Amino acid sequence: MGFAAWLFLSSVGLTLIYGVMRILNIAHGGFYALGAYSSAWAIGIFLSSGGEVLYSFLLIPVAALVAGTVAGLMVERGVLRFMYGRDEVLMVLVTYAIFLILEDATKLIWGTESYVAWQPAFHFGTIDVFGIPYTVYKYLIISVALIVGAALFLILNKTRTGKLLLVVIEDREISGALGINVTLFFTATFVAGAVLGALGGAITAPEISVLPGIGAEIIVLSFAVIVIGGMGSIGGAMIGALIVGFARAASVHLYPPAELFSIYLVMAAVLAVKPYGLFALAESRKI
């Protein structure tokens, strides 16, 4: 469950951006890495200066918010706004180039050595479940994933802003003609997706060694999650994360060398039955 919650947090921003903007954002892995580095760096400085471990938890969402907002605004306003309406394959290439730039940016800012900020992950100790110890921090990640999922559902379905966003998703041209600021919705959506990607990295930082290359790993797993769940579907991302999480857990238990292969096997099996994913959004056609 902990792995599935982490996967959902790391991939929900990717599916949100695709659902609204129809952009398969490869740069999402760069946002994840920026969040992880920012969180580990901030926690390290705070604790080394004598700060309490309990208060370091506040640095995780702050690091994600700052890193995701700054990077998201720079990417969307600086590059992507000039590319809207172009071929989707071209957008993939552009976001891949941005991902490479973000990878180099993290090396320029934080260097190539690993950052370790383990203290928050073990601050509350462990809990035994059927004789297996799990850190309480994993349950915190699960709680955050549930809160994020519920918040996105309520915003999209129960608020005026969410309903306007659904109109933008359905038809951008009509939305603009009705007076809806489509550009503002695009920018806000991309920044929100970047912040969610950075949150996935920031909340994971205390459990891993943060080093160059973590962004490439997460973009592959996130792509598997949203393809299984249906690209653009928030609920699908949650179900996809659960499926990938259980598939990985089963393979690690039964045959560890097949850990990565099991994820692609499940993805292939789902696509063979549902070519657009389990909960793919309906595509409108203009006649």
Side-chain angles (χ1 to χ4, degrees):
M1 285 294 291
F3 182 76
W6 166 72
L7 268 182
F8 173 74
L9 284 174
S10 302
S11 60
V12 67
L14 181 63
T15 199
L16 176 66
I17 290 173
Y18 182 84
V20 177
M21 306 171 69
R22 292 298 185 267
I23 296 175
L24 184 55
N25 180 31
I26 306 300
H28 190 77
F31 299 144
Y32 173 90
L34 283 173
Y37 270 102
S38 299
S39 176
W41 173 76
I43 291 172
I45 290 180
F46 179 75
L47 296 180
S48 63
S49 62
E52 293 288 337
V53 176
L54 183 62
Y55 297 125
S56 68
F57 284 88
L58 298 175
L59 296 174
I60 294 174
V62 171
L65 182 62
V66 173
T69 301
V70 173
L73 280 174
M74 290 178 64
V75 170
E76 199 278 334
R77 290 286 84 194
V79 180
L80 294 185
R81 70 187 179 100
F82 301 109
M83 308 299 297
Y84 294 145
R86 304 291 183 90
D87 187 84
E88 291 185 5
V89 175
L90 178 61
M91 297 297 284
V92 170
L93 294 176
V94 170
T95 56
Y96 177 66
I98 295 171
F99 166 72
L100 296 178
I101 293 171
L102 292 176
E103 283 281 286
D104 287 339
T106 57
K107 294 177 185 177
L108 287 173
I109 298 171
W110 289 286
T112 57
E113 295 185 2
S114 61
Y115 282 71
V116 180
W118 55 270
Q119 293 89 341
F122 295 93
H123 179 65
F124 295 112
T126 60
I127 296 178
D128 285 347
V129 179
F130 301 111
I132 302 175
Y134 292 94
T135 59
V136 175
Y137 190 80
K138 288 190 180 296
Y139 294 96
L140 175 63
I141 295 178
I142 295 173
S143 300
V144 172
L146 291 174
I147 292 171
V148 168
L152 287 173
F153 174 81
L154 291 174
I155 291 171
L156 290 175
N157 296 281
K158 303 298 181 179
T159 66
R160 180 176 182 273
T161 301
K163 292 176 181 178
L164 288 176
L165 181 60
L166 294 177
V167 173
V168 172
I169 295 172
E170 184 67 24
D171 196 310
R172 303 175 190 178
E173 296 178 1
I174 297 298
S175 300
L178 292 173
I180 299 175
N181 192 337
V182 177
T183 301
L184 178 61
F185 273 99
F186 273 23
T187 301
T189 299
F190 193 86
V191 171
V195 170
L196 289 171
L199 178 61
I203 204 169
T204 310
E207 291 196 315
I208 64 173
S209 177
V210 180
L211 72 169
I214 59 174
E217 177 185 357
I218 193 59
I219 194 62
V220 174
L221 291 174
S222 296
F223 182 71
V225 167
I226 68 171
V227 166
I228 290 172
M231 297 178 71
S233 170
I234 303 297
M238 186 172 288
I239 299 300
L242 286 171
I243 292 173
V244 171
F246 283 123
R248 175 184 175 273
S251 64
V252 168
H253 179 69
L254 299 174
Y255 188 61
E259 175 186 351
L260 186 60
F261 173 75
S262 64
I263 296 173
Y264 295 108
L265 180 63
V266 170
M267 183 171 66
V270 169
L271 293 181
V273 179
K274 300 278 289 186
Y276 296 101
L278 296 175
F279 301 96
L281 299 178
E283 294 282 351
S284 60
R285 293 188 304 170
K286 293 183 179 180
I287 300 176

